[in-house]
Amino acid sequence: FFFSKLEVSMADDIAEAPEIPDDEEMRQVACTILVLDCPPGFHFGLDYLFWTVGPRFSGVRGIPPGPHFFYYAQGQAGSMGAEYAERLGRFVHLDPAEVIVLRYNEDTEQLSFLEPGEAGRLADGVRRHEFDKQLGPYPMEKHKDWVELTQFISPLVVAKIEPVNSVVISRTQGPAQDDELPDEDGVKAPKPAAASQKDQDAGINIEPNTTLSFSTIPKGRSRHKAVGAELTKAHFDKSEALGELLANEHGGRENDLLGELQFAFICFLLAYNIEAFIQWKNLVMMLCASEDATRARPQLFADLLRVLHAQLLQAPEDFLGGAVGAE
């Protein structure tokens, strides 16, 4: 999986990068992600942008409040380049003017949050502008597109789906065919993916607490009660399964289902997680096969069109020509 059209390199001289737009209101609420002790050549991404950082890089400033996804390449990218390196990532929901502080650990080759006391002192330094020359500006020209991709990803959605350790890990292989259990209506709900040989060779430890807790797509019961034409319709129309999923997994909140769809797309697109792609595909297939629900839930499907439009605009050029297009 390869997402390249918005990936850039961050030069060593961050001070010469474009300034944050002169918008006083934005300056008052803008957030910062401080990233300390990254070695030169480290690969760090935030939302659309994926940087190969220089020695002066210490994070990103001018970030609008709301949901964001930071990610990074574990270890060296190798001869294939940073685009193909294994990635780890995490969703964060930034409050107005929030500063979060991360530090690179040489032993684990991972970013971790600091203890509150030390993080608070460094955050105060950010607010006193002590790190300004080491912080790259957030690309505000891309923020509107990012909002379209994440508008339904609430803190509740993130808390429901993210792994126990909150870290999303690249997975290059989904469940084996025998582990994809098709229900009686033909919808497959993916089981957690095991580590592929490529993941193991790369030194990535896929543990149970890294599993994404996506919703289980229900079977639906209508076809067992129907006969004749009704049985045929029940086989093809997934509206009842959709209703069960909304009730059982999201408390009836349609926006949270759309948030799960967006969460899965981001994890697939930016963290290279095939488990997320499988869930995204299965949700789209179920929603597109829910004819009766289009009349019962018109707002859900109006919002779904907007979500899919935004996703297809940002998807790789060969996205519809691969596994998705084949189905």
Side-chain angles (χ1 to χ4, degrees):
F1 305 103
F2 178 43
F3 185 65
S4 62
K5 59 182 170 181
L6 292 175
E7 293 185 355
V8 298
S9 256
M10 178 170 283
D12 292 350
D13 194 356
I14 295 175
E16 296 181 0
E19 286 295 321
I20 301 171
D22 188 15
D23 185 327
E24 185 59 31
E25 182 178 357
M26 175 56 70
R27 289 177 182 273
Q28 293 296 323
V29 301
C31 307
T32 301
I33 297 180
L34 190 65
V35 187
L36 302 175
D37 300 337
C38 292
F42 183 72
H43 309 293
F44 178 81
L46 177 65
D47 301 346
Y48 280 136
L49 275 295
F50 187 56
W51 296 286
T52 300
V53 305
R56 297 181 59 189
F57 174 81
S58 292
V60 183
R61 61 189 169 95
I63 307 168
H68 295 277
F69 188 75
F70 73 82
Y71 50 103
Y72 54 98
Q74 182 171 251
Q76 298 299 315
S79 60
M80 294 296 290
E83 298 89 350
Y84 298 98
E86 305 292 348
R87 293 181 178 183
L88 293 85
R90 176 170 180 161
F91 277 98
V92 290
H93 195 284
L94 299 177
D95 294 326
E98 183 175 3
V99 178
I100 65 172
V101 184
L102 306 167
R103 172 167 285 150
Y104 179 79
N105 185 309
E106 290 186 358
D107 295 329
T108 64
E109 297 185 329
Q110 295 188 22
L111 296 176
S112 57
F113 288 85
L114 301 187
E115 293 297 325
E118 184 179 6
R121 290 190 293 272
L122 289 165
D124 289 341
V126 170
R127 296 186 180 99
R128 292 193 297 267
H129 305 288
E130 295 174 3
F131 292 90
D132 280 6
K133 292 186 177 181
Q134 298 163 268
L135 299 173
Y138 183 85
M140 288 300 299
E141 68 276 9
K142 301 300 181 184
H143 182 239
K144 182 177 179 181
D145 293 336
W146 180 252
V147 169
E148 287 294 310
L149 282 183
T150 60
Q151 60 180 318
F152 295 107
I153 301 179
S154 66
L156 183 64
V157 170
V158 173
K160 177 190 183 309
I161 302 174
E162 69 178 356
V164 173
N165 67 357
S166 301
V167 178
V168 179
I169 296 178
S170 294
R171 288 185 178 173
T172 58
Q173 178 177 308
Q177 288 296 323
D178 291 342
D179 291 335
E180 290 186 40
L181 302 179
D183 64 33
E184 295 178 3
D185 286 333
V187 178
K188 294 179 180 179
K191 295 174 64 177
S196 69
Q197 187 61 48
K198 181 178 178 182
D199 292 331
Q200 297 171 8
D201 292 344
I204 293 181
N205 185 20
I206 305 296
E207 300 177 350
N209 65 356
T210 64
T211 300
L212 294 165
S213 300
F214 286 121
S215 298
T216 298
I217 299 177
K219 298 176 181 181
R221 297 183 299 272
S222 293
R223 60 181 299 190
H224 302 300
K225 304 174 184 178
V227 295
E230 291 183 356
L231 177 62
T232 301
K233 180 180 179 181
H235 178 79
F236 290 104
D237 194 318
K238 310 302 179 186
S239 297
E240 184 178 8
L242 173 59
E244 289 181 27
L245 187 151
L246 283 167
N248 297 339
E249 299 282 356
H250 295 293
R253 296 180 297 273
E254 296 175 355
N255 284 357
D256 285 2
L257 175 59
L258 295 174
E260 179 172 353
L261 190 68
Q262 291 184 324
F263 185 108
F265 185 81
I266 294 296
C267 290
F268 153 65
L269 190 71
L270 299 182
Y272 300 166
N273 187 291
I274 191 63
E275 181 185 353
F277 168 71
I278 292 171
Q279 181 71 0
W280 177 87
K281 181 185 69 173
N282 286 341
L283 286 175
V284 170
M285 290 173 64
M286 181 189 65
L287 285 161
C288 291
S290 299
E291 182 178 352
D292 285 349
T294 60
R295 293 182 286 271
R297 304 176 183 274
Q299 189 59 52
L300 169 62
F301 285 88
D303 291 336
L304 173 65
L305 290 177
R306 181 174 179 178
V307 167
L308 292 177
H309 179 259
Q311 292 177 345
L312 293 178
L313 284 178
Q314 302 305 330
E317 293 180 0
D318 61 350
F319 185 64
L320 292 179
V324 176
E327 298 192 21

